[in-house]
């Protein structure tokens, strides 16, 4: 027998088991009466799982009771199970951890198939199978357990495990049934978990509404009476978070946030805001910004008075910003201000929320004010651009003016609300200054001057310290602007006089407060400057002139200012002569090398230039030239000098005063090569040389343009012009050189290339090089023939001219070839030249150009006349007798007469054009020939009168 200390624990267990089998009913440990007894402490030896099993196995041999043996065998199987769990947790490498436990449990079921205690065996066996990864066997055990042991205490757990196995194997109908069984058996944590998984089961079956009902059960369990998950334990918080996420997935499959009010289990729940937020965050994470905004917005719309509404509104704004929609974010900020600003009815109880709203309002009001301020300035710029060229822009100008006004008004309203909301803000003064600025720009001068004077004279802090003088000065301007809003008939009214008195008071206040300001002397001692700033130019001139005349010892700075005001005023009144005199007087008081001297010189130049514009309108170009060139003398370094000198050149060229124009251009070209107009100087110089017929100088300038001008079109035109200049100066070989360059270099424009070929032919003709001339004649003819759509009236004329030139060449050969005997030898050669000449003339006639149609007809007719005449006058063969000569002459006459007839027909074709109202020298010449060839018809005086009358 084993030592007592190892056997005693087993005996205790066996006694307990035996006590269960002594009666007819199944007893429990609860039936045993507990009688406290002083016992001696016994030290037990610590046993491992194998040793425990051995002890139990020894007990089997000690008892005959079947029920007791069954209980011992169950204990042995349980020890195997405990050992498997222990071994697995110890990370001991083993192929199978639960195989022995499975075998033992299976033996018990086989040995005691009808035992009422098999429920626990089935549960443990299912667990062992599950741990071994044999889920289907585990499911089989759990199914047997749930079907045969409906009163098993852990039946809910068994059903939950059944559901999990079905869910993991995507058997969602079976899983749903099993989870529903759990919800009917348990109200604790397992019940909550079952509803959570039931929600997922519905989701997997596309039953999204039902899934929301299940999830609602979970939230209502953990968040009952709560507004948030704050205070939940570590176990509950993750479940709530997962449930919220799962709800977002289902809502996404339905109508989003609009579905939430339709879920019965969620109605009236204080935590419902978490669903809207979680759904919005869900969409935001997926960058579905519109859906996120809709989710947050849905909460606001459903709960506009909720303390969380401002928080959700900020979520809407941030979603727009994150999505890259700043315009939408700005619109929401405006809605935020409207909903929660000082003019809203929104009540805040929570201090933290009040602070958050205040922070947001501070940021949004400033941003909205600045946005509308900037937008208004942009509209003003657009308006100015439209008004520069107002023709046909009335509607757009009207819209831009309204948009600018609306934006200024909006900016003013936001600056006002910002100031009203935060009266103790450190930037209060600067806010008031900006409001004054937009009020002024929006033409709300009476309001603007109030804010300007506040900033200038009674500020709260230092945020607008630098703007105080500008504010004071702007207040003065605002007074006058407001006064100007009164109609002319009311300018002397009591109301206007009151405003004028306030304006004077403001001006004196300015001078007294900001006496060190550079504007102070002019405000105080020079009313002209004040009046000028108000566009009262006549009064400004009157005051400044009186100041200069009555104060001979006036400080130079004030004198300089007075002359400047007078000059500016005269300029504004477009009396540029007086303005020029005042600027000269002002400049005389300034150091010549100073920056101020340059500024005044620039104004002087502008004044003279404007005066030249006035003069040119009178038509006196010579006086305009003198005025423009005055700038060169009085303000040579001004920006106006070069444009003025160039404008003078243009006028000089219009007056054909080439020498002076060329001198000015040479000056500009030499001294202002970097000016923006510099590219025009050599162009105009070349043209001036050409117009003055200085062909050689012009040709050199055009060649320089061809080489250096930045515009390729100018380069092209210059090359052609240079060739023309060489031609005009009788330098034909150079003309040929550059016409050739042009013809080879530039295929387009087609007409100009044709002109170059034409000029080449002419120049070669002048040099007597007939072969080269004919080469270019062929190029002209061929180019026109192939021109297609590029063919023009000019190219047709040139081709006709070239064909005529070819005809003239063959006609000359015809005339130079005399008829000699025997005619059978000399006549064919002459006929060949006639045919070639006629063919060329005919091609010229086919151009349709009247000049060449009539010329060709006339010249072909003259060729026929010449041949007929030469046939008649050709010497007869020397060996003919008298009678043979007469026969010979009659034969010759028979040959000559058809030629005369052809000539008559050609001349008549020309003459007939006269009856259609067409006339030129070739038609006239044809009439002359017809009078000789056909006198009986064309030599009559009445015919001539009739012809003359027809022409008239």
């Amino acid at each position: 027998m084993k030592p007592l200390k190892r056997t005693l624990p087993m005996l205790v267990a066996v006694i307990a088991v035996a006590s269960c089998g002594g009666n007819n009913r199944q007893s429990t440990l609860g039936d045993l009466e507990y009688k406290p007894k002083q016992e001696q402490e016994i030290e037990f030896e610590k046993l491992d799982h194998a040793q425990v099993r051995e002890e139990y196995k020894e007990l089997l041999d000690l008892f005959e009771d079947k029920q007791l043996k069954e209980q011992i065998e169950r204990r042995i199987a349980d020890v195997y199970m405990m050992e498997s769990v222990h071994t697995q947790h110890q990370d001991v490498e083993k192929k199978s951890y639960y195989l022995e436990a499975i075998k033992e449990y299976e033996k018990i079921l086989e040995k005691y198939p009808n035992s009422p205690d098999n429920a626990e065996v089935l549960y443990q066996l299912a667990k062992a199978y599950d741990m071994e990864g044999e889920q289907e066997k585990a499911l089989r055990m759990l199914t047997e357990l749930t079907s045969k042991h409906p009163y098993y205490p852990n039946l809910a757990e068994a059903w939950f495990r059944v559901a999990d196995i079905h869910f993991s194997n995507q058997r969602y109908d079976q899983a749903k049934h099993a989870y529903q069984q759990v919800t009917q058996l348990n109200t604790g944590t397992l019940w909550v978990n079952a509803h959570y998984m039931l929600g997922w089961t519905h989701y997997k079956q596309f039953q999204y509404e039902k899934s929301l009902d299940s999830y609602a059960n979970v939230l209502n369990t953990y968040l009952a009476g709560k507004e948030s998950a704050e205070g939940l334990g570590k176990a509950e918080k993750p479940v709530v978070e997962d449930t919220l996420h799962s709800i977002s997935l289902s809502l996404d499959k339905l109508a989003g946030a609009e579905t939430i009010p339709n879920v019965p289990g969620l109605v009236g729940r204080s935590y419902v805001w978490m669903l809207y937020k979680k759904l919005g965050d869900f969409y935001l994470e997926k960058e579905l910004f519109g859906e996120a905004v809709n989710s947050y917005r849905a909460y606001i719309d459903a709960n506009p008075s909720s303390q969380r509404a401002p928080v959700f509104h900020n979520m809407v704004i941030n979603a727009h910003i994150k999505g890259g929609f700043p315009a939408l974010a700005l619109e929401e900020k405006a809605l935020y201000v409207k909903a929660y600003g000082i003019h809203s009815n929104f009540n805040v109880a929570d201090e933290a929320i009040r602070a958050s709203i205040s922070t947001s309002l501070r940021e949004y009001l400033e941003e909205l004010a600045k946005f509308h301020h900037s937008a208004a300035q942009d509209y003003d710029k657009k308006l100015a651009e439209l008004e520069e060229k107002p023709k046909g822009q009335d509607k757009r100008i009207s819209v831009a003016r309204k948009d600018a006004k609306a934006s200024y008004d909006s900016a003013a309203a936001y600056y006002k609300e910002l100031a009203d909301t935060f009266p103790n803000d450190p930037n209060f003064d600067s806010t008031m200054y900006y409001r004054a600025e937009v009020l002024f720009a929006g033409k709300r001068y009476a309001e603007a001057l109030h804010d300007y004077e506040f900033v200038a004279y009674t500020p709260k802090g230092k945020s607008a310290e630098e703007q105080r003088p500008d504010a004071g000065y702007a207040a003065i301007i605002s007074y006058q602007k407001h006064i100007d809003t009164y109609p002319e008939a009311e300018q002397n009214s009591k109301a206007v006089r009151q405003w004028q008195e306030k304006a004077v008071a403001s001006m004196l206040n300015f001078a007294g407060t900001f006496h060190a300001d550079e504007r102070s002397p002019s405000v105080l001692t020079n009313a002209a400057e004040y009046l000028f700033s108000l566009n009262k130019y006549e009064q400004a001139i009157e005051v400044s002139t009186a100041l200069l005349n009555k104060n001979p010892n006036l400080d130079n700075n004030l004198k300089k200012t007075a002359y400047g005001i007078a000059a500016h005023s005269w300029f504004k009144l477009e009396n540029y002569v007086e303005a020029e005199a005042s600027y000269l007087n002002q400049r005389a008081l300034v150091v010549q090398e100073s920056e101020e001297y340059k500024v005044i010189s620039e104004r002087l130049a502008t004044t003279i230039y404007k005066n030249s514009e006035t003069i040119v309108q009178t038509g006196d170009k010579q006086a305009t030239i003198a005025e423009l060139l005055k700038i060169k003398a009085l303000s040579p370094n001004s920006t106006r000098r070069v444009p003025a000198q160039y404008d003078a050149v243009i006028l000089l060229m219009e007056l054909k005063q080439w020498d002076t124009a060329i001198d000015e251009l040479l000056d500009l070209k030499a001294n202002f090569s970097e000016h923006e107009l510099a590219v025009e100087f050599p162009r105009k110089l070349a043209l001036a040389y050409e117009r003055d017929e200085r062909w050689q100088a012009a040709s050199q300038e055009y060649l320089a343009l061809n080489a250096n001008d930045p515009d390729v079109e100018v380069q092209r035109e210059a090359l052609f012009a240079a060739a023309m200049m060489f031609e005009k100066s009788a330098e034909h070989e150079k003309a040929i050189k550059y016409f050739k360059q042009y013809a080879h270099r530039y295929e387009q424009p087609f007409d100009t290339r044709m002109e170059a070929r034409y000029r080449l032919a002419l120049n070669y003709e002048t040099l007597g090089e007939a072969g080269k001339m004919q080469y270019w004649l062929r190029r002209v003819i061929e180019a026109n023939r192939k021109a297609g759509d590029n063919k023009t009236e000019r190219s047709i004329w040139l081709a006709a001219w070239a064909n005529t030139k070819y005809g003239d060449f063959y006609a000359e050969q015809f005339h130079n070839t005399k008829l000699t005997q025997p005619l059978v030898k000399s006549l064919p050669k002459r006929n060949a030249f006639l045919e070639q000449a006629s063919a060329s003339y005919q091609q010229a006639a086919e151009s349709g150009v009247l000049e060449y149609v009539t010329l060709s007809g006339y010249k072909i007719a003259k060729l026929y006349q010449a041949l007929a005449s030469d046939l008649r006058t050709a010497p007869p063969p020397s060996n003919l007798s008298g009678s043979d000569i007469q026969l010979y002459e009659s034969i010759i006459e028979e040959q000559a007469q058809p030629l005369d007839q052809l000539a008559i027909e050609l001349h008549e074709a020309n003459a007939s054009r006269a009856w259609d109202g067409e006339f030129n020298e070739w038609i006239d010449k044809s009439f002359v020939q017809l009078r000789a060839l056909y006198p009986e018809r064309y030599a009559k005086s009445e015919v001539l009168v009739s012809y003359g009358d027809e022409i008239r």
Side-chain angles (χ1 to χ4, degrees):
M1 181 175 284
K2 298 289 182 181
L4 179 63
K5 63 181 180 180
R6 293 189 58 185
T7 307
L8 186 58
M10 298 300 105
L11 289 174
V12 172
V14 171
I15 291 169
V17 173
S19 66
C20 296
N23 302 314
N24 293 330
R25 65 178 181 86
Q26 182 177 348
S27 302
T28 66
L29 291 176
D31 294 327
L32 296 178
E33 182 180 358
Y34 175 69
K35 296 178 180 179
K37 178 181 178 182
Q38 186 70 31
E39 296 181 357
Q40 183 178 356
E41 185 177 341
I42 303 174
E43 181 181 351
F44 296 106
E45 179 181 355
K46 189 174 183 181
L47 304 178
D48 62 22
H49 295 95
Q51 290 171 329
V52 171
R53 285 197 301 274
E54 287 302 317
E55 294 289 349
Y56 274 125
K57 287 178 181 179
E58 289 178 7
L59 289 175
L60 285 173
D61 298 331
L62 297 177
F63 300 99
E64 294 298 330
D65 187 280
K66 289 184 178 181
Q67 187 177 2
L68 187 58
K69 282 180 177 277
E70 180 185 346
Q71 295 299 327
I72 292 172
E73 288 175 1
R74 293 182 194 283
R75 297 295 182 273
I76 293 172
D78 290 343
V79 172
Y80 272 115
M81 190 68 176
M82 288 186 288
E83 183 180 21
S84 298
V85 173
H86 177 76
T87 304
Q88 188 176 22
H89 288 170
Q90 295 298 317
D91 292 331
V92 177
E93 288 293 332
K94 198 173 180 182
K95 185 175 182 182
S96 176
Y97 293 101
Y98 297 90
L99 188 58
E100 293 300 326
I102 290 170
K103 289 179 180 178
E104 290 300 319
Y105 284 132
E106 286 180 338
K107 283 195 291 185
I108 292 172
L109 291 175
E110 184 178 354
K111 191 173 182 179
Y112 308 105
N114 299 316
S115 171
D117 295 329
N118 279 353
E120 186 65 29
V121 174
L122 288 168
Y123 185 84
Q124 293 296 335
L125 183 56
K127 180 179 179 181
Y129 275 132
D130 193 24
M131 299 300 286
E132 283 295 314
E134 298 188 58
Q135 284 196 337
E136 291 304 319
K137 290 182 179 180
L139 179 61
R140 202 161 55 244
M141 296 301 104
L142 290 168
T143 302
E144 184 177 347
L145 168 60
T146 56
S147 63
K148 292 183 178 181
H149 303 278
Y151 301 106
Y152 175 59
N154 294 324
L155 187 62
E157 295 180 23
W159 276 112
F160 195 91
R161 186 60 196 134
V162 169
D164 276 356
I165 293 172
H166 282 309
F167 187 90
S168 64
N169 287 281
Q170 301 182 13
R171 296 190 291 267
Y172 300 120
D173 272 336
Q174 295 93 319
K176 178 171 64 177
H177 172 74
Y179 284 131
Q180 287 172 339
Q181 294 297 318
V182 177
T183 63
Q184 296 171 13
L185 293 169
N186 190 290
T187 57
T189 303
L190 202 59
W191 181 88
V192 177
N193 292 343
H195 274 295
Y196 176 77
M197 290 306 299
L198 190 57
W200 267 104
T201 305
H202 287 307
Y203 180 87
K204 291 292 186 179
Q205 292 182 295
F206 312 109
Q207 299 168 352
Y208 305 118
E209 291 89 348
K210 291 183 178 180
S211 73
L212 291 173
D213 292 333
S214 296
Y215 293 139
N217 285 323
V218 177
L219 294 182
N220 290 336
T221 299
Y222 287 127
L223 299 177
K226 298 179 183 294
E227 287 192 5
S228 69
E230 293 297 324
L232 294 180
K234 293 183 178 179
E236 292 88 352
K237 270 190 177 180
V239 177
V240 170
E241 284 297 317
D242 288 345
T243 304
L244 290 171
H245 177 72
S246 300
I247 288 174
S248 295
L249 293 175
S250 294
L251 291 173
D252 178 52
K253 298 298 184 180
L254 297 168
E258 295 178 9
T259 306
I260 296 174
N262 300 323
V263 180
L266 299 176
V267 174
R269 300 293 177 173
S270 57
Y271 62 78
V272 74
W273 66 270
M274 299 173 67
L275 277 65
Y276 290 95
K277 181 181 184 303
K278 192 69 176 180
L279 181 61
D281 294 348
F282 167 79
Y283 285 129
L284 202 61
E285 185 177 351
K286 294 183 176 297
E287 298 186 355
L288 298 172
F289 303 109
E291 288 82 351
V293 166
N294 291 339
S295 301
Y296 299 139
R297 170 64 65 191
Y299 178 81
I300 300 170
D301 293 342
N303 306 276
S305 301
S306 167
Q307 298 291 290
R308 298 185 188 276
V311 178
F312 272 82
H313 216 132
N314 275 330
M315 293 177 191
V316 171
I317 292 168
N318 291 332
H320 282 312
I321 293 171
K322 189 173 182 180
F325 304 107
L328 294 178
L330 196 71
E331 290 177 10
E332 286 297 336
K333 290 173 183 178
L335 293 174
Y336 186 99
V337 169
K338 184 177 181 180
Y340 315 113
I342 59 172
H343 301 304
S344 72
N345 295 321
F346 189 78
N347 295 316
V348 185
D350 188 285
E351 287 297 327
I353 294 177
R354 181 181 289 110
S356 174
I357 293 175
S358 179
T359 300
S360 296
L361 286 173
R362 177 72 181 79
E363 176 187 345
Y364 298 162
L365 282 168
E366 184 172 5
E367 183 179 350
L368 287 163
K370 289 183 177 179
F371 171 81
H372 287 289
H373 193 166
S374 176
Q377 291 172 330
D378 289 340
Y379 284 127
D380 271 349
K381 290 179 183 177
K382 181 180 179 181
L383 182 62
E385 292 172 0
L386 291 171
E387 288 178 339
E388 284 183 4
K389 298 179 180 179
K391 187 175 181 180
Q393 302 284 356
D394 292 349
K395 186 175 181 180
R396 295 180 66 189
I397 288 173
S398 176
V399 171
R401 187 174 288 119
K402 288 179 181 177
D403 288 341
K405 181 69 167 61
S407 294
Y408 279 127
D409 288 346
S410 295
Y414 283 121
Y415 281 130
K416 178 70 164 57
E417 187 166 349
L418 179 60
D420 291 346
T421 306
F422 303 98
N424 299 318
D425 189 88
N427 294 321
F428 182 86
D429 296 338
S430 61
T431 298
M432 294 298 288
Y433 179 74
Y434 289 133
R435 180 172 184 267
E437 290 280 85
V438 297
L439 288 169
F440 183 91
K443 304 186 188 311
R444 294 162 63 180
Y445 304 117
E447 297 171 81
L449 64 88
H450 176 271
D451 288 353
Y452 277 135
E453 289 186 328
F454 168 82
V455 173
Y457 309 120
T458 57
K460 284 188 176 183
K462 300 292 184 182
S463 62
E465 188 67 21
E466 292 184 4
Q467 288 79 30
R468 286 184 63 201
D470 290 336
Y473 194 74
I476 297 170
I477 305 298
S478 298
Y479 275 111
Q480 188 59 46
K481 289 286 187 182
H482 179 64
I483 291 168
D484 289 343
T485 61
Y486 284 84
E488 184 67 29
E490 297 179 24
Q491 284 298 309
N492 295 320
S493 66
K494 182 179 179 181
V496 170
R497 284 198 300 273
Q498 289 175 344
W499 280 111
Q500 289 172 336
E501 290 172 2
K502 291 179 181 179
V504 172
S506 185
M507 190 164 65
L508 293 173
N509 200 2
F510 179 90
T513 305
F514 307 110
H515 51 82
D517 187 275
E518 63 180 5
R519 291 166 292 190
S520 185
S522 62
V523 170
L524 183 61
T525 65
N526 192 351
E529 184 173 12
Y530 166 68
L531 292 166
F532 175 79
S533 69
L534 299 174
N535 299 331
K536 303 294 183 179
Y537 305 121
E538 294 88 349
Q539 296 175 47
I541 293 169
E542 181 181 342
V543 173
S544 60
T545 302
L547 179 65
L548 290 166
N549 293 337
K550 295 176 181 180
N551 297 277
N553 298 321
L554 189 65
D555 178 81
N556 272 353
N557 284 330
L558 292 177
K559 188 185 294 185
K560 181 176 61 179
T561 302
Y563 278 126
I565 293 298
H568 298 338
S569 298
W570 284 122
F571 186 91
K572 288 290 185 178
L573 294 172
E574 300 183 2
N575 189 331
Y576 302 115
V577 174
E578 291 293 343
E580 177 186 340
S582 294
Y583 279 129
L584 285 170
N585 288 329
Q586 184 189 33
R587 193 172 67 169
L589 299 170
V590 177
V591 178
Q592 189 168 351
E593 290 75 18
S594 67
E595 188 64 29
E596 187 177 9
Y597 187 92
K598 295 178 182 177
V599 171
I600 298 172
S601 295
E602 192 67 42
R603 290 171 180 165
L604 176 62
T606 301
T607 301
I608 297 172
Y609 192 86
K610 293 293 288 184
N611 195 40
S612 72
E613 292 177 341
T614 303
I615 296 171
V616 78
Q617 290 176 1
T618 67
D620 191 344
K621 294 183 179 180
Q622 198 65 54
T624 304
I625 293 169
E627 190 71 8
L628 288 168
L629 293 179
K630 191 193 294 184
I631 296 175
K632 177 181 174 183
L634 295 177
S635 297
N637 298 318
S638 68
T639 58
R640 289 284 186 179
R641 181 260 174 88
V642 173
Q645 193 172 352
Y646 182 71
D647 288 350
V649 166
I650 300 300
L651 292 173
L652 285 165
M653 293 178 71
E654 289 179 10
L655 295 176
K656 300 182 180 181
Q657 297 178 12
W658 306 115
D659 290 343
T660 308
I662 289 169
D663 289 342
E664 295 298 335
L665 283 167
L666 289 171
D667 177 49
L668 288 169
K669 184 180 176 184
N671 297 310
F672 300 98
S673 59
E674 300 300 320
H675 194 274
E676 62 182 355
L677 290 173
V679 69
E680 296 294 336
F681 303 154
R683 296 173 183 174
K684 288 294 186 289
L685 183 59
L687 180 61
Y689 279 135
E690 180 183 353
R691 297 290 171 80
D692 199 30
E693 299 185 1
R694 302 188 198 181
W695 311 124
Q696 290 184 336
S699 64
Q700 295 307 313
E701 282 299 322
Y702 279 127
L703 285 178
L705 284 173
N706 173 251
N708 304 318
D709 198 280
D711 190 328
V712 293
E713 276 299 294
V714 174
Q715 292 178 17
R716 178 186 64 76
E717 293 171 358
L719 180 59
F720 188 89
M724 286 296 297
M725 296 306 100
F726 283 120
E727 180 181 307
K728 289 182 178 182
S729 63
E731 297 180 76
H732 297 292
E733 295 201 358
K734 287 185 179 179
I736 288 170
K737 174 183 176 182
Y738 293 111
F739 278 130
K740 273 187 179 180
Q741 281 187 15
Y742 187 95
H744 291 311
R745 187 183 301 174
Y746 300 108
E747 293 186 4
Q748 296 296 332
F750 172 72
D751 271 350
T752 313
R753 194 181 191 195
M754 288 288 284
E755 291 292 336
R757 290 164 172 160
Y758 167 63
R759 290 288 168 185
L760 282 163
L762 286 177
N763 279 278
Y764 275 125
E765 182 180 29
T766 301
L767 293 175
E769 298 186 37
K772 292 181 179 179
M773 180 191 80
Q774 290 171 8
Y775 169 81
W776 287 104
L777 291 175
R778 289 194 298 273
R779 296 299 301 275
V780 170
I781 295 167
E782 187 67 14
N784 182 68
R785 185 179 65 80
K786 294 179 178 180
D789 292 340
N790 290 326
K791 190 177 292 186
T792 64
E793 289 184 4
R794 178 62 177 169
S795 70
I796 294 170
W797 188 94
L798 290 174
W801 171 85
N803 276 306
T804 301
K805 284 292 184 181
Y806 253 113
D808 291 346
F809 169 77
Y810 289 122
E812 185 179 359
Q813 299 298 315
F814 169 83
H815 289 301
N816 290 338
T817 303
K818 302 298 182 184
L819 287 178
T820 59
Q821 292 294 342
L823 290 179
V824 71
K825 289 185 178 181
S826 62
L827 185 59
K829 184 176 181 182
R830 200 154 190 252
N831 279 343
F833 286 128
L834 183 146
E835 289 175 2
Q836 287 174 311
S838 297
S840 294
Y841 289 138
Q842 183 59 37
Q843 287 183 27
E846 288 172 0
S847 69
V849 178
L850 178 65
E851 175 186 357
Y852 291 109
V853 171
T854 55
L855 176 150
S856 298
Y858 176 82
K859 289 194 173 185
I860 293 172
K862 287 294 290 181
L863 289 173
Y864 287 144
Q865 288 176 251
L867 181 58
S869 175
D870 290 347
L871 282 172
R872 291 186 179 101
T873 58
S878 56
N879 57 349
L880 294 179
S881 62
S883 60
D884 289 336
I885 288 174
Q886 287 181 352
L887 179 62
Y888 170 80
E889 287 177 350
S890 67
I891 293 172
I892 289 297
E893 185 62 29
E894 289 177 1
Q895 297 297 318
Q897 282 183 358
L899 294 174
D900 286 336
Q901 187 59 39
L902 286 172
I904 289 170
E905 290 174 3
L906 288 169
H907 285 309
E908 284 184 330
N910 271 357
S912 66
R913 293 180 177 276
W915 313 124
D916 295 331
E918 296 174 342
F919 190 75
N920 59 26
E921 63 172 310
W922 304 107
I923 294 174
D924 187 45
K925 288 182 177 181
S926 286
F927 270 110
V928 172
Q929 293 299 316
L930 285 170
R931 287 198 292 273
L933 291 170
Y934 201 173
E936 59 271 25
R937 180 175 180 184
Y938 290 97
K940 295 178 181 180
S941 59
E942 61 271 17
V943 173
L944 294 178
V945 171
S946 176
Y947 165 68
D949 290 341
E950 183 69 23
I951 295 301
R952 286 195 294 272

